[in-house]
Amino acid sequence: MTDSFDRTIDYVRIAVTDRCNLRCFYCMPAEGIPYEPKAHLLSYEEITRLLQVLGTLGFRKVRFTGGEPFLRKDFMQLLENTAGIDDFKSIHITSNGTLLQRHIPRLKELGITKINLSIDSLDKARFQKITRRDDFEKVMQTFHMLVDNGFKIKLNAVIMKGINTQDIIPLAELAKDYPVDVRFIEEMPFNGGYKENLEMYSARDIYADLKAHFSDMEKLPGKHGDTASLLSVPGYKGNIGVIAAFSRTFCNTCNRLRISSKGEIKSCLYDDGVFNIRDFMRSGVTDLELADKFRELIQLKPKDGFEAEKLRKAPKAAMQSMSSIGG
Ligand code: SAM
Ligand code: SF4
């Protein structure tokens, strides 16, 4: 499907839960965030149905995210269902890595091997300060288990001024010894009210740090839907990417639709939800009606994230938590 700006939309990101066992400060407040009641979340049968319909519209890639997707009890069931949908051969998961170790054998059997693991620091104390939890060793153990089992890992790190800029080079150097792609992400203002005006450490700043250290790094050509500017360092097993998530320089190649845990469709990360597909489904519509609704929603995709932000009706972006949007 193409949208009104002639972009091919074939990638859906679904937040399967708004719950999380970590409390990364850039994402969620330490406490007091109201979780959605279970009945408000899309059931795994509803998510499977949405994927089946999206498959008929040409969607080929899905990412399950959250909150922490492995907190959801029926998550493996959802993955099994999804692996059975022919149209979705590209199944991805974004996880904090604290709960997935025991699922590694089954994930391998299902052929679900593309995992984004969020690690913002290689320093235990800094990791703990950022996530407000003491899970550094467990997450690093998960990282090594995934590498040893041949998973295709992308490591996500949100870079924040005065917090973890010193981690940029050590994290990038993981791509030397391991076949992992490292992604540095600009902080965005979706933190559940922690801070409205961010002190930006921009994609440009991150790039400058990388360039100062890796003088021989080269730019790689982008692929369909890439949000990262990709870089390679000669001899490194993985590549390095910088995602201008706040500067929003990649909107002209956007290929995605987001569905929040309670079924809000976001046609752009920066909009405030354009339609509730859960309520629409629960009203008893047919698959054809669902497909038509998606066609209509895809045409509503704004030109870019700045446009989407202008159209917001709900409170400012910073009041929302990324845990309900999925990143
Ligand atoms: N819990 C999982 C995890 O942390 O990987 C999946 C959900 S999390 C919301 C998805 C991604 O969004 C993570 O890589 C996280 O670092 C990123 N993220 C969360 N809040 C963010 C923010 N305010 N700015 C930029 N990225 C953010
Ligand atoms: Fe949880 Fe992921 Fe948000 Fe951290 S970034 S609080 S792990 S949902």
Side-chain angles (χ1 to χ4, degrees), residues 20 22-24 26-28 67 96 323:
C20 192
L22 302 189
R23 285 290 179 282
C24 307
Y26 53 74
C27 176
M28 278 174 119
N96 64 29
S323 59

Side-chain angles (χ1 to χ4, degrees), residues 204-217:
R204 208 180 272 239
D205 297 327
I206 299 168
Y207 180 81
D209 287 357
L210 291 167
K211 188 72 192 159
H213 187 81
F214 302 112
S215 54
D216 50 355
M217 79 181 186

Side-chain angles (χ1 to χ4, degrees), residues 19-28 66-68 95-96 118 120 131 321-323:
R19 291 162 168 73
C20 192
N21 55 335
L22 302 189
R23 285 290 179 282
C24 307
F25 74 82
Y26 53 74
C27 176
M28 278 174 119
E68 176 46 39
S95 168
N96 64 29
S118 301
D120 303 311
T131 62
S321 164
M322 195 64 102
S323 59

Side-chain angles (χ1 to χ4, degrees), residues 39-42 46 49-50 53-54 57 259 262-265 274-297:
H40 289 190
L41 303 184
L42 289 166
E46 286 170 331
R49 181 176 174 209
L50 287 177
V53 170
L54 287 168
L57 294 173
I259 306 181
K262 54 177 183 172
E264 286 287 337
I265 302 281
V274 288
F275 189 74
N276 192 297
I277 205 77
R278 174 203 63 198
D279 296 346
F280 189 60
M281 258 195 298
R282 291 183 187 175
S283 74
V285 293
T286 64
D287 285 356
L288 286 178
E289 285 168 320
L290 255 185
D292 279 344
K293 181 51 78 179
F294 275 121
R295 284 194 188 91
E296 187 187 316
L297 293 169

Side-chain angles (χ1 to χ4, degrees), residues 242-260:
V242 184
I243 303 182
F246 188 65
S247 311
R248 289 161 258 183
T249 48
F250 45 69
C251 300
N252 58 336
T253 58
C254 183
N255 65 342
R256 58 198 63 193
L257 198 68
R258 288 181 167 79
I259 306 181
S260 79

Side-chain angles (χ1 to χ4, degrees), residues 13 15 17 19-22 24-28 63-70 93-98 116-120 155-160 183 185-192 198 243 245-246 269-270 320-327:
R13 299 174 58 106
T17 178
R19 291 162 168 73
C20 192
N21 55 335
L22 302 189
C24 307
F25 74 82
Y26 53 74
C27 176
M28 278 174 119
R63 175 174 303 284
F64 294 113
T65 169
E68 176 46 39
F70 287 94
I93 302 170
T94 301
S95 168
N96 64 29
T98 54
N116 284 18
L117 207 56
S118 301
I119 306 180
D120 303 311
L155 195 148
N156 284 350
V158 179
I159 298 301
M160 295 153 288
R183 298 285 175 263
I185 308 174
E186 282 180 350
E187 184 181 10
M188 292 177 270
F190 299 102
N191 49 45
L198 305 175
I243 303 182
F246 188 65
L269 180 54
Y270 284 85
Q320 269 188 301
S321 164
M322 195 64 102
S323 59
S324 62
I325 305 172

